[in-house]
Amino acid sequence: MSSSASRAWREAIRDAGFRLRLAVTLPALVAALAGMARFLEGVERRPGVVLPDPVLALLPTRDLTWLTFGLIYLGLAAGVGWLLSRPRRLLLALEAYVVMVLFRVAAMQVTPLEAPEGLLPLNDPLVRLFGPAKLLTKDLFFSGHTSTLFLLALAVSAPKWRAFFLACTAAVGACVLAQHVHYAIDVLAAPFFAYASWR
């Protein structure tokens, strides 16, 4: 960590309000992710509906798993790297992410969906590591990968980095549609939920 980043963290930690928010946010993040993992197990078991999707009907199914993960993990690494030297911005991003996880749980609760026709499963190693062992196919509305990258675009303030994350968001959205992992509405709605979480 650079000297300027270390100085930023020292200044932030001296702020009692920052320490309190950090002490609340980190356990909230762990609880939200653990709750989401348990919730998704139930989502996979319940029946849902298959939506007609004219966008997916136009797209032949293609396996873009490695491209999708490459973009996601590159984006996450770049985002964390940028935010680590800006503790207040990082904390705000973590708070927004907790809210977004809660939004996803609420949205999936009221939209029981079956996987799109022609789906090629997206085997996310992080989800398999921290979440349920079963491959997820019904965690649909709204797209978590797309919304997370868009949230990073909101969290960074440097224009070039923001453009990079917006490009990653669009590319990942296109990839999950090409693989029929999500309905078009899942991807289109994701930035709006990310923006609401950030606000």
Side-chain angles (χ1 to χ4, degrees):
M1 190 177 293
S2 69
S3 59
S4 61
S6 298
R7 185 166 57 252
W9 275 98
R10 286 195 299 270
E11 290 174 2
I13 293 297
R14 283 198 291 266
D15 180 355
F18 178 87
R19 292 197 305 272
L20 176 61
R21 285 172 58 193
L22 188 64
V24 171
T25 300
L26 293 180
L29 177 63
V30 172
L33 291 175
M36 168 72 98
R38 178 167 292 191
F39 173 76
L40 290 177
E41 292 177 356
V43 166
E44 289 299 311
R45 290 193 298 267
R46 72 181 180 180
V49 298
V50 177
L51 295 180
D53 193 321
V55 175
L56 293 187
L58 295 173
L59 298 174
T61 307
R62 298 184 60 189
D63 188 351
L64 299 174
T65 298
W66 290 105
L67 176 59
T68 304
F69 288 141
L71 290 167
I72 290 167
Y73 295 139
L74 176 63
L76 288 174
V80 170
W82 191 91
L83 290 167
L84 273 177
S85 62
R86 298 157 180 89
R88 296 181 190 280
R89 201 85 177 171
L90 174 61
L91 179 58
L92 187 57
L94 291 175
E95 291 169 340
Y97 186 76
V98 170
V99 172
M100 195 169 72
V101 169
L102 298 178
F103 274 153
R104 283 199 79 210
V105 168
M108 280 188 277
Q109 179 64 35
V110 298
T111 56
L113 299 173
E114 292 292 336
E117 293 180 3
L119 171 139
L120 283 177
L122 190 63
N123 191 357
D124 189 329
L126 283 183
V127 170
R128 297 294 295 277
L129 182 62
F130 296 109
K134 184 178 178 181
L135 191 63
L136 300 176
T137 61
K138 296 185 182 182
D139 58 330
L140 295 169
F141 187 78
F142 50 96
S143 169
H145 294 131
T146 309
S147 56
T148 299
L149 288 171
F150 192 81
L151 183 62
L152 285 172
L154 296 172
V156 302
S157 56
K160 289 183 179 179
W161 279 108
R162 181 161 288 173
F164 167 76
F165 288 117
L166 289 174
C168 286
T169 301
V172 166
C175 285
V176 296
L177 289 178
Q179 197 159 334
H180 290 215
V181 173
H182 276 288
Y183 294 103
I185 189 62
D186 304 334
V187 173
L188 293 174
F192 294 97
F193 281 98
Y195 180 76
S197 302
W198 178 254
R199 295 299 298 172

